[in-house]
Amino acid sequence: MPVTVSEHSSHGSLSIPPSTDDGTSNGTATPTIAQSVPAQSFVTLESSPLASEADRESQLQFLSEQLKVEKRIKEGAENLLLMDLNGALRNQVESELATAKKKIQVIQKSMESVSGRTTPKRSLDTNGGGRRKFTGQPLQPAVEWKEEQSERDDFRTAMHQANSAIKALVLLSRQHSYDHPASSAGSPSTSPSISTLPNPATASEVELSRARIENMAKLIGLLQRNVRVKYELDVGEVVHAVLPSLADKASKQARATAYRLIRHALVDSHSVRRLGEQNMDWYIVKSLSRDNKHTVEKEQVIKLIRAVVDIGSERHSPHSATGSGTVPLSDAVLRALIAVAEYPEDPFKPICVQTLTEILLIDIELMARTGGIRVLLHALSEGPMEMAPLLAAAFLHIVDSPKTRAFLAPGTDLEIALSGITDAYGRGPEYKDKIKGCTAIVSSMLRTWSGLMYCCINDMTAIRVVIDCLRVPSLETRELILDMFFDLLNIKPPEWHRAFIDGRRLTTYRKSRHSADLGHQPEIPHKPQDTLKLTDQYIALLILVFSRAGLLDALTSMFEESSVGSALSRKATLLMAEILQKANRVLPLSIAASIQALPRVFSLASDYDDNEHRIVGSSALSAIDSFNRYRSRQEPAVKGDTRPRANSIEEAVRRGQRQAEQVKLKVGMQMDDKTFQTLLPETQVMLTKDHTKWNFDTLQDLIEGPLHNAKRMEEAIKASRYIRKLMSFFHPFNHRFSDVANTKTNQRWVRLACSLLNALMASTDGIRFLQEDEFLGQLVKSFDQLDPLTPTPVSDPIFSKKRVQETLTGGYFEMLGTLSKRTEGVELLEKFKLFTAFYRLTELRSRDDLIKGIIENLDYSIDGHSRIVLSKTLTSVYKHVRHYATNYLGGLIRNSQTANAWMIRLLLTQLYDPAPEVRELAVRFLEEACESTDVLQMVVEMQPTLDHLGEVGHPLLLKFMSTPTGFRFLYAADYIDRQMELWFHERNLHYVVHIEVFLAKAFSQNVADDTDNDFLAFEGIVPSHFYGVMAKTELGCEVLQEKGHFVEFAHFIRQHGLESEDQEVILKLKSVLWAVGNIGATERGLPFLEEEEIIPAILEIAEQSLVLSVRGTCFFVLGLISSTPQGAEILDDYHWEATLSPLGLPTGLCVPVDVEKFVSIPHWDCVASEAVDDTRLAPPESDEEMEVMTAIYNLANTVIANTASRSLTKMKSKPEYRHIFSSPSMFYRALHTISSQKYKLPVRRYIFDLFNLELDADVIQQLSECSISLRIPLTAQEPAEPSEPEPVHAPEPPSFRPISVRPVVDDSDDEESEVDEKEAAAKKPRAPVMSLRPKSRIIGFR
């Protein structure tokens, strides 16, 4: 109702709003006419000199009450101004606000005056000296109190506005206005939210809907801005306020806003439980069943469901299995969501599939009961394909645990993912995208332990089916299946594989593009190529499984299709050749030999009875041999071996180049005088200053040949002044060389200048010439032009940033670098004080190009100023300069063949850099350098302090521990004891997560595009483990024995090795297995395993554990144990064979001889995928109702659904059936049916439209009553289990909480009596009990 604002300021009154019993204001404090006190009373009270102490106390109390009143008025006026008010009303409110502020000031001054006269009497405390004690408080607490008070005021304001908005929504209900007219009129609300509301009794439905939407939107904004308000609001009140907006009569925008408001009101599981008590299920089911015209509403209701799942779900505890949580959704809501997820034309299908996948991982029992697993399996096969990786990952997670994989039927359910490949026969090229997506799913499945072992059940049936698709000659998409195997086995075809597939010869000697730049780009050595990784061990198992499943035979079948050969058959040959190469590298010799025997190929090649077979076999063997020979020549050289390989393709080219260069130099050195004198004029240097007219080739031959002879150099300098003419071209101030454009062609002049300087420094006359020439002096002056303190600044200096980028000026740094490679050159640089110029240049802030040019071109092989310049850039005041210099220093260390102490010392200095980025970079380079034993020993002897690095320096400290000297150093610093406790309790678990995350990334589809630093840093080799590093030294083994940690590890493995449900124990078991495996990977640590006899226990877990990821962990751990010859020998006794290098040393890979035993899973019985709801309803009261319900049942059958729908349409048109479609009880029967059985989305929508009932609060209440009255007790039902009589059930209203299949006991006397009455009523006619099973009678057939 409109608010009347009184102008109490005109007569000086203080208005007091109505108050509740506890003294607080009821509603918003707004100006109204109330008690008033004359303003002159303040003066009277203040000026009365005869007022007693009691009078002053009463005055202060009265003034404080008046101050509270005025503050409430001020607060109410401020709240009103936040609303949309018309001009006149806003002016009144602003006037009242100004008046209230003035009165507050007057009251505060009066209180200060009164309290000022009374305070001395209370606080005056005179002692002997007549001094008064200080009784004040510090100022800071007062400030804090004001801040807290303002926060409380803001929250109180927001809370008040929220309550006002809820009250406004309640008032906007027509029912509310009809039921309580007196209450609403008797106490008119002055809330700004309510003052502008339309009258519910007279306003139209459109106006009411608009007002509801506006108020709900304001409340949503309030909840978004003030999170604390969410926790104070009762969700039940919010739902009660928005119920009219959820009714069918409301607009779709109103329903969408209502769902959005409810979602924002949810904060925790308690609020979700309160929501579940509000009877909202049928609203949500109806909203989910609407068509695409109501996308706004469906979007918000799906978001609400996702919020309920996210906030209200109870995840499994660490001690329980995956999927054992509870999701607070009823079966009715979940089946409605499932119907949307399986309807292909619904735009919300992808998000519903994703929501069901999340529910699957939380509460798999609920999904199984409602048929959600079946829908997700269908989506995995049919799409959308962008959801397939998510679905595959979820199902593979389910398969890992025995408790959850029991919900999948072995051999049938998950194999539906293969249907895209197996159904490809007869499809056209348009089916290619479907097969491509399917191969990606199969690839992701086979890259996990759960997927691989699941596909190996029933004698590897699933894998054999995929491989057998290669045998179908007319299948045009077999190339995609071949690509899948390339991807699975991590085979990256070389650049020349296309030539191999096209059938061209590979044995031609030609210089590859890679070798063209061999002399210009120094090769950066990396880790040895033959270092085997964790992924290689898994690939070894894949090759073993695929070979047992018949992959090589299937590839051979592709050869036999044509004796001429095709691109597809040659690609199959390439795959076979790559598999043989991989097998030779990662599998034990005996197993690899059986694979490489290729009995079928050799039998074809030796089949002289059939020429076509012999041609096919011989061609395949010839192609494989050609591939192997060419591949061996293309292999890069091993790290540390700088000698070019004699059998490489480039060797002949290198040999010819070296011989030509030696002959050319020899001829040039022996050139006679006449020829030399002829060459000088031919260069045109003496004739013209235009370098473009010079004969560059002749000039280059002259410099690289004869001028290296001291006699010829002396003649060129003194006799003909040729060198002086040539060097004048390179003088900076001549602007000849320094003005040449910086192009790829012109870079040859830079190389020529470097060759000339080398020739000059090769002779005494040349060095003397450089000392006397102006070349170096002009360079120093050019650098001085950049000095900001120079007295004569130059507008366009030689080394300006533009000139360095656009001209050959940057080439001067290469020339100076050439001089720094020789002792004579370093002396020249020192004489001309060029190093001093370098020191000044490194201090320039914005000239990174000059700093890079200096440190990249200087030579550091000679101890002197060059290294000092590098050291100065490493300690520059600018972080980006230090970062670049550290990166360059790391490259120097990486490229150096021997350990250089000065480089390591400079790199250790960077460990103390103030910037964390520089420290991390230095740690990474130092860790890489410490791969060399010599460097590691050198660093340990330097004993750097690394405690300040924290986690960044942890890998480096582990490397220090691997040496006896480093271990003693760290043990003395108490680092060992601290880390042992930390690893024993925490870091073992972190190690498991680190490795499993790496393996997931390494086997993901987008490894090549992965730029994650963790992935790049972890190159596949098992990362260092603290216990494994300890076992490398004798002192470490002694400490490990003394602590007794290994004994505890062994005891834990024996006690919990076969654990299959407790997730926390399983994670700890994996961590213990990794610790034991890393200890057993060292020669000193293996005796610990032998002493405890733990290897047989690990083998038992690997072959019998029901948790598949634990089996995989044991597989990798056994590979670690096989890293030593003794460990490989022990495992060989248990029929696990280790892979050996050509020298007979173990490589750290180990596979079982009996692979079927390792990958086999015990058979399990699938639990019922969909539980039959045993809830029984009372039978229909008439034959007409029975016919309607039977037709509704038949709608679930797709065969007879059309006939049933026609029958229902006919019934609805007949007068004797019309009352049925308006009956709440029949409506509830229909809703109960679609909430307990599978109905497609259009059918659900048809059933809702069939009844002439619109959902609102009254209908929902009637449905709740029907849920009680129609449900018959157990005595009238046939007991499912005679031994366990089912209790009488008094149902609750539908809620978000999961509805259990069996009813729940309720001891309420009233409800029991009501149930007894219904039971007696049901017994009288003795009609057959009605269940949800479809009737045999079919309506509509003749």
Side-chain angles (χ1 to χ4, degrees):
M1 296 179 63
V3 179
T4 303
V5 182
S6 62
E7 301 202 14
H8 65 282
S9 58
S10 59
H11 47 77
S13 64
L14 292 175
S15 62
I16 305 175
S19 302
T20 57
D21 295 337
D22 57 356
T24 60
S25 174
N26 61 341
T28 306
T30 52
T32 54
I33 299 175
Q35 301 175 4
S36 63
V37 178
Q40 293 81 0
S41 63
F42 295 130
V43 180
T44 305
L45 291 171
E46 179 182 349
S47 59
S48 176
L50 302 177
S52 63
E53 183 68 22
D55 293 337
R56 292 192 180 93
E57 293 291 343
S58 61
Q59 291 173 16
L60 285 174
Q61 183 177 1
F62 176 76
L63 290 174
S64 62
E65 292 177 355
Q66 295 296 322
L67 182 63
K68 290 180 181 179
V69 171
E70 292 299 329
K71 284 185 176 180
R72 290 174 184 170
I73 295 174
K74 174 177 171 290
E75 180 183 350
E78 290 175 346
N79 291 338
L80 275 173
L81 292 176
L82 296 177
M83 302 299 173
D84 295 332
L85 305 177
N86 54 35
L89 184 59
R90 177 171 290 276
N91 292 335
Q92 288 182 335
V93 174
E94 290 176 350
S95 175
E96 293 295 329
L97 178 61
T99 303
K101 288 181 179 179
K102 292 180 182 179
K103 289 184 178 293
I104 289 174
Q105 292 178 356
V106 172
I107 295 174
Q108 288 176 343
K109 289 181 180 179
S110 300
M111 293 179 68
E112 290 175 0
S113 176
V114 176
S115 61
R117 290 177 298 172
T118 57
T119 299
K121 295 185 179 181
R122 297 195 209 110
S123 61
L124 188 60
D125 184 11
T126 56
N127 52 19
R131 296 177 181 177
R132 189 172 60 188
K133 295 182 180 180
F134 175 72
T135 59
Q137 297 294 328
L139 294 179
Q140 186 63 29
V143 176
E144 293 178 357
W145 180 85
K146 289 181 179 179
E147 292 177 355
E148 295 175 359
Q149 182 66 29
S150 63
E151 291 179 1
R152 286 196 296 267
D153 291 343
D154 291 341
F155 164 70
R156 186 173 59 197
T157 301
M159 192 66 201
H160 177 75
Q161 293 174 354
N163 288 329
S164 300
I166 293 176
K167 291 179 181 178
L169 289 173
V170 173
L171 288 175
L172 285 171
S173 171
R174 290 182 182 273
Q175 187 65 35
H176 181 86
S177 62
Y178 296 157
D179 293 345
H180 309 283
S183 61
S184 60
S187 58
S189 174
T190 58
S191 170
S193 301
I194 302 175
S195 59
T196 59
L197 296 180
N199 188 353
T202 59
S204 65
E205 188 64 33
V206 176
E207 295 176 351
L208 289 176
S209 178
R210 186 184 302 113
R212 291 189 190 117
I213 293 175
E214 291 177 358
N215 277 273
M216 287 188 292
K218 291 177 182 178
L219 184 54
I220 290 171
L222 190 65
L223 295 179
Q224 290 176 330
R225 294 189 302 270
N226 301 272
V227 180
R228 186 180 170 188
V229 176
K230 294 183 179 182
Y231 289 88
E232 298 295 332
L233 283 182
D234 183 12
V235 176
E237 296 180 1
V238 175
V239 174
H240 177 68
V242 302
L243 277 181
S245 301
L246 294 175
D248 287 349
K249 294 181 180 179
S251 64
K252 56 184 178 183
Q253 287 82 7
R255 289 193 293 269
T257 310
Y259 287 130
R260 183 167 174 243
L261 173 58
I262 296 172
R263 171 165 57 89
H264 282 287
L266 300 178
V267 289
D268 52 17
S269 57
H270 173 71
S271 60
V272 174
R273 285 194 297 269
R274 285 283 295 141
L275 177 63
E277 300 170 0
Q278 305 307 316
N279 247 359
M280 281 192 57
D281 279 9
W282 301 130
Y283 288 119
I284 294 176
V285 171
K286 179 68 177 291
S287 296
L288 289 173
S289 302
R290 298 185 189 275
D291 55 21
N292 293 338
K293 296 179 182 179
H294 300 78
T295 53
V296 177
E297 177 185 351
K298 291 182 72 173
E299 176 185 354
Q300 293 302 325
V301 76
I302 291 173
K303 285 184 176 181
L304 174 61
I305 293 175
R306 288 183 59 81
V308 169
V309 174
D310 182 37
I311 298 173
S313 297
E314 296 180 4
R315 269 70 174 181
H316 61 82
S317 65
H319 299 285
S320 60
T322 304
S324 57
T326 56
V327 174
L329 291 177
S330 65
D331 290 9
V333 173
L334 193 58
R335 285 187 182 273
L337 189 68
I338 290 171
V340 178
E342 67 178 347
Y343 189 56
E345 299 178 5
D346 197 286
F348 296 101
K349 176 178 180 175
I351 189 61
C352 290
V353 170
Q354 182 177 344
T355 305
L356 292 176
T357 307
E358 296 170 5
I359 297 174
L360 176 72
L361 297 176
I362 301 173
D363 191 354
I364 189 172
E365 185 178 352
L366 174 64
M367 288 290 290
R369 186 172 68 243
T370 55
I373 296 180
R374 170 188 48 78
V375 174
L376 293 182
L377 286 171
H378 185 74
L380 179 63
S381 171
E382 300 297 330
M385 295 310 297
E386 60 269 14
M387 299 293 298
L390 173 68
L391 292 169
F395 278 113
L396 292 174
H397 188 68
I398 293 300
V399 170
D400 187 55
S401 175
K403 185 175 181 180
T404 51
R405 67 170 169 261
F407 290 94
L408 298 175
T412 56
D413 277 357
L414 205 53
E415 283 77 0
I416 195 174
L418 310 178
S419 61
I421 297 177
T422 57
D423 297 347
Y425 184 77
R427 307 292 181 97
E430 67 279 358
Y431 199 68
K432 189 174 181 179
D433 291 339
K434 178 68 179 296
I435 298 181
K436 191 173 182 180
C438 185
T439 55
I441 298 173
V442 175
S443 180
S444 65
M445 289 174 59
L446 294 178
R447 280 174 163 164
T448 62
W449 288 110
S450 53
L452 176 62
M453 294 187 178
Y454 182 90
C455 291
C456 288
I457 61 176
N458 299 331
D459 194 23
M460 305 180 186
T461 303
I463 299 177
R464 292 180 189 274
V465 166
V466 176
I467 291 175
D468 287 341
C469 291
L470 295 173
R471 305 177 190 269
V472 182
S474 59
L475 190 59
E476 299 178 357
T477 53
R478 285 184 294 173
E479 186 175 0
L480 295 176
I481 303 177
L482 291 178
D483 290 337
M484 180 190 73
F485 283 109
F486 274 104
D487 189 36
L488 270 172
L489 300 176
N490 200 21
I491 297 173
K492 296 177 174 57
E495 295 179 359
W496 42 268
H497 82 285
R498 179 51 57 186
F500 183 88
I501 294 175
D502 293 340
R504 298 197 297 267
R505 287 175 58 86
L506 300 177
T507 54
T508 55
Y509 288 90
R510 63 183 184 275
K511 193 172 183 179
S512 64
R513 288 178 297 175
H514 174 72
S515 62
D517 300 330
L518 196 61
H520 305 294
Q521 296 181 355
E523 182 182 359
I524 298 177
H526 296 284
K527 297 189 185 298
Q529 293 293 327
D530 56 350
T531 302
L532 297 176
K533 308 175 182 179
L534 285 176
T535 51
D536 289 323
Q537 188 171 355
Y538 190 81
I539 289 172
L541 182 63
L542 283 179
I543 293 176
L544 204 54
V545 170
F546 291 158
S547 62
R548 299 289 173 87
L551 176 59
L552 297 179
D553 288 342
L555 295 176
T556 307
S557 300
M558 297 179 69
F559 304 160
E560 300 179 40
E561 294 176 9
S562 173
S563 60
V564 180
S566 61
L568 190 61
S569 64
R570 282 189 287 270
K571 190 166 188 176
T573 308
L574 177 64
L575 177 59
M576 179 179 287
E578 290 280 8
I579 290 176
L580 297 181
Q581 284 270 2
K582 283 268 186 184
N584 188 44
R585 183 167 171 260
V586 301
L587 285 176
L589 183 59
S590 60
I591 300 176
S594 64
I595 292 177
Q596 293 178 352
L598 299 178
R600 188 172 175 186
V601 178
F602 278 100
S603 64
L604 289 175
S606 59
D607 186 3
Y608 290 92
D609 297 332
D610 191 334
N611 290 333
E612 186 173 345
H613 284 181
R614 187 160 52 85
I615 293 173
V616 169
S618 301
S619 301
L621 292 175
S622 175
I624 293 174
D625 180 63
S626 174
F627 168 84
N628 290 333
R629 283 189 283 108
Y630 194 79
R631 181 68 174 267
S632 63
R633 293 193 184 98
Q634 291 286 333
E635 287 182 355
V638 183
K639 179 183 178 181
D641 184 10
T642 56
R643 179 182 62 83
R645 299 184 57 164
N647 65 340
S648 62
I649 292 178
E650 292 82 12
E651 176 57 22
V653 179
R654 292 196 198 99
R655 190 181 300 115
Q657 288 178 348
R658 286 196 302 270
Q659 291 176 356
E661 291 173 0
Q662 291 173 2
V663 171
K664 184 178 179 181
L665 181 60
K666 186 176 181 180
V667 171
M669 295 287 287
Q670 297 177 354
M671 184 178 294
D672 56 3
D673 293 343
K674 185 176 181 180
T675 306
F676 180 70
Q677 293 297 334
T678 305
L679 281 177
L680 290 180
E682 286 183 3
T683 59
Q684 304 293 320
V685 173
M686 301 296 292
L687 301 178
T688 179
K689 290 185 178 182
D690 188 0
H691 69 282
T692 59
K693 297 181 180 180
W694 292 355
N695 190 336
F696 183 85
D697 295 334
T698 305
L699 183 60
Q700 186 176 17
D701 293 341
L702 184 66
I703 292 175
E704 295 179 354
L707 290 182
H708 277 79
N709 190 331
K711 181 181 177 182
R712 301 300 179 199
M713 178 61 73
E714 181 183 2
E715 183 179 350
I717 293 175
K718 296 181 179 180
S720 62
R721 302 175 63 85
Y722 181 84
I723 297 299
R724 189 173 300 279
K725 284 277 189 183
L726 182 58
M727 281 300 296
S728 66
F729 168 71
F730 296 103
H731 288 177
F733 292 155
N734 288 345
H735 290 280
R736 294 167 64 188
F737 172 81
S738 58
D739 286 353
V740 177
N742 184 13
T743 62
K744 186 176 181 180
T745 305
N746 290 336
Q747 284 294 324
R748 60 180 182 169
W749 294 104
V750 179
R751 294 191 291 271
L752 183 70
C754 295
S755 300
L756 178 59
L757 292 175
N758 278 325
L760 286 170
M761 286 188 293
S763 65
T764 307
D765 293 324
I767 295 173
R768 188 182 301 112
F769 172 80
L770 287 174
Q771 291 175 348
E772 298 172 356
D773 193 69
E774 297 180 359
F775 173 68
L776 295 177
Q778 289 188 13
L779 282 178
V780 173
K781 293 179 182 178
S782 300
F783 289 139
D784 290 340
Q785 293 176 352
L786 300 176
D787 190 353
L789 302 179
T790 182
T792 57
V794 181
S795 59
D796 186 21
I798 295 295
F799 286 95
S800 66
K801 183 174 292 188
K802 181 179 180 181
R803 291 177 64 88
V804 171
Q805 292 177 353
E806 299 178 358
T807 67
L808 294 182
T809 304
Y812 286 119
F813 292 110
E814 293 187 38
M815 302 179 198
L816 296 175
T818 302
L819 293 176
S820 67
K821 294 178 181 179
R822 295 173 178 261
T823 307
E824 299 85 357
V826 172
E827 292 176 356
L828 287 172
L829 295 176
E830 292 176 352
K831 179 180 179 180
F832 285 91
K833 298 183 179 180
L834 278 161
F835 286 115
T836 304
F838 290 164
Y839 296 147
R840 290 198 298 267
L841 291 178
T842 56
E843 297 175 357
L844 296 179
R845 180 179 183 84
S846 60
R847 295 309 305 272
D848 300 344
D849 54 339
L850 299 182
I851 298 174
K852 292 179 181 179
I854 292 171
I855 65 174
E856 285 179 355
N857 291 285
L858 283 179
D859 183 78
Y860 303 100
S861 59
I862 301 175
D863 189 10
H865 284 280
S866 298
R867 297 180 183 178
I868 299 175
V869 172
L870 179 60
S871 175
K872 187 172 177 59
T873 56
L874 288 169
T875 55
S876 171
V877 294
Y878 308 118
K879 183 180 71 173
H880 63 282
V881 175
R882 299 196 306 272
H883 191 278
Y884 176 80
T886 305
N887 198 16
Y888 184 77
L889 176 62
L892 289 178
I893 296 175
R894 180 185 292 167
N895 293 332
S896 62
Q897 302 300 325
T898 58
N900 293 311
W902 71 271
M903 291 184 183
I904 299 300
R905 195 172 286 108
L906 285 179
L907 189 58
L908 288 177
T909 304
Q910 298 308 100
L911 297 179
Y912 308 98
D913 193 276
E917 299 90 345
V918 179
R919 293 198 300 268
E920 292 177 8
L921 187 64
V923 168
R924 190 160 66 245
F925 279 118
L926 190 58
E927 185 180 355
E928 181 181 338
C930 287
E931 293 290 338
S932 171
T933 308
D934 297 336
V935 176
L936 178 59
Q937 189 65 31
M938 185 187 302
V939 173
V940 171
E941 290 174 357
M942 295 178 182
Q943 294 188 355
T945 303
L946 304 178
D947 292 342
H948 66 287
L949 295 176
E951 290 296 324
V952 177
H954 181 68
L956 202 54
L957 289 171
L958 289 182
K959 287 191 178 295
F960 287 4
M961 284 177 55
S962 62
T963 63
T965 306
F967 191 91
R968 293 192 198 94
F969 170 65
L970 295 175
Y971 186 76
D974 291 335
Y975 174 81
I976 304 296
D977 291 338
R978 294 197 308 268
Q979 289 297 317
M980 279 195 77
E981 293 300 320
L982 200 58
W983 274 82
F984 187 76
H985 295 290
E986 293 181 21
R987 286 197 171 172
N988 267 339
L989 303 176
H990 298 167
Y991 185 88
V992 176
V993 176
H994 180 58
I995 279 200
E996 292 190 350
V997 167
F998 158 74
L999 290 174
K1001 289 181 178 180
F1003 286 129
S1004 66
Q1005 294 289 336
N1006 300 319
V1007 175
D1009 300 332
D1010 199 334
T1011 58
D1012 193 345
N1013 292 331
D1014 293 338
F1015 174 75
L1016 296 177
F1018 189 7
E1019 298 180 359
I1021 304 172
V1022 181
S1024 298
H1025 194 285
F1026 181 81
Y1027 287 102
V1029 176
M1030 279 189 69
K1032 291 182 179 180
T1033 59
E1034 186 175 353
L1035 181 58
C1037 292
E1038 293 177 3
V1039 175
L1040 185 59
Q1041 183 74 30
E1042 179 184 349
K1043 291 287 186 179
H1045 287 184
F1046 190 86
V1047 177
E1048 296 187 31
F1049 290 159
H1051 177 70
F1052 189 88
I1053 290 175
R1054 293 193 189 94
Q1055 185 177 6
H1056 301 287
L1058 299 178
E1059 176 64 42
S1060 61
E1061 292 190 3
D1062 195 329
Q1063 294 297 315
E1064 187 174 359
V1065 173
I1066 291 174
L1067 181 61
K1068 187 174 181 180
L1069 175 64
K1070 291 179 182 178
S1071 69
V1072 170
L1073 286 170
W1074 279 111
V1076 170
N1078 278 277
I1079 294 173
T1082 61
E1083 294 183 357
R1084 288 188 174 92
L1086 189 61
F1088 285 93
L1089 280 70
E1090 295 181 280
E1091 182 180 350
E1092 292 292 333
E1093 298 181 353
I1094 200 62
I1095 295 179
I1098 297 176
L1099 289 167
E1100 181 185 3
I1101 297 171
E1103 296 174 353
Q1104 298 182 14
S1105 176
L1106 297 178
V1107 182
L1108 307 183
S1109 58
V1110 173
R1111 286 197 190 187
T1113 302
C1114 292
F1115 179 74
F1116 290 127
V1117 167
L1118 291 172
L1120 290 175
I1121 296 175
S1122 70
S1123 300
T1124 61
Q1126 297 86 352
E1129 186 177 349
I1130 293 173
L1131 290 175
D1132 188 61
D1133 297 337
Y1134 293 99
H1135 306 291
W1136 280 67
E1137 196 165 349
T1139 304
L1140 303 179
S1141 66
L1143 298 178
L1145 299 176
T1147 60
L1149 304 187
C1150 185
V1151 294
V1153 177
D1154 187 3
V1155 66
E1156 288 84 0
K1157 183 178 180 181
F1158 172 68
V1159 297
S1160 63
I1161 309 176
H1163 189 271
W1164 70 88
D1165 294 327
C1166 178
V1167 298
S1169 58
E1170 289 191 52
V1172 178
D1173 191 352
D1174 57 359
T1175 303
R1176 302 289 183 90
L1177 301 181
E1181 298 178 355
S1182 63
D1183 294 339
E1184 291 81 2
E1185 292 182 354
M1186 180 65 76
E1187 291 181 6
V1188 171
M1189 289 307 303
T1190 304
I1192 291 177
Y1193 296 150
N1194 292 336
L1195 289 174
N1197 190 332
T1198 56
V1199 178
I1200 58 177
N1202 290 335
T1203 304
S1205 64
R1206 288 195 295 267
S1207 301
L1208 287 170
T1209 305
K1210 292 179 181 179
M1211 292 179 195
K1212 191 174 181 180
S1213 62
K1214 295 179 180 180
E1216 60 270 20
Y1217 289 93
R1218 289 176 184 172
H1219 69 282
I1220 297 177
F1221 297 100
S1222 302
S1223 169
S1225 62
M1226 288 297 294
F1227 189 36
Y1228 174 77
R1229 293 179 189 274
L1231 293 179
H1232 187 266
T1233 302
I1234 66 173
S1235 300
S1236 54
Q1237 298 294 324
K1238 175 180 177 289
Y1239 282 84
K1240 292 184 178 181
L1241 184 62
V1243 178
R1244 300 171 69 90
R1245 190 179 303 143
Y1246 172 77
I1247 292 175
F1248 271 105
D1249 296 339
L1250 198 61
F1251 287 87
N1252 301 323
L1253 289 173
E1254 293 186 347
L1255 286 182
D1256 54 24
D1258 294 337
V1259 173
I1260 294 296
Q1261 181 63 32
Q1262 293 175 3
L1263 292 176
S1264 299
E1265 295 173 357
C1266 291
S1267 67
I1268 300 174
S1269 60
L1270 294 181
R1271 189 165 307 192
I1272 61 175
L1274 180 66
T1275 53
Q1277 298 185 25
E1278 297 178 3
E1281 295 179 3
S1283 59
E1284 294 183 5
E1286 189 173 334
V1288 177
H1289 179 61
E1292 297 178 353
S1295 67
F1296 280 94
R1297 290 176 290 185
I1299 299 177
S1300 58
V1301 176
R1302 295 192 176 278
V1304 182
V1305 178
D1306 192 308
D1307 296 331
S1308 173
D1309 295 334
D1310 296 338
E1311 293 182 356
E1312 284 183 358
S1313 61
E1314 184 178 357
V1315 170
D1316 292 339
E1317 293 176 2
K1318 299 297 179 182
E1319 178 184 350
K1323 283 183 178 180
K1324 289 181 181 179
R1326 299 299 297 172
V1329 175
M1330 179 180 178
S1331 70
L1332 296 179
R1333 191 177 301 278
K1335 302 297 180 180
S1336 58
R1337 178 183 177 188
I1338 300 175
I1339 303 299
F1341 280 100
R1342 299 297 181 186

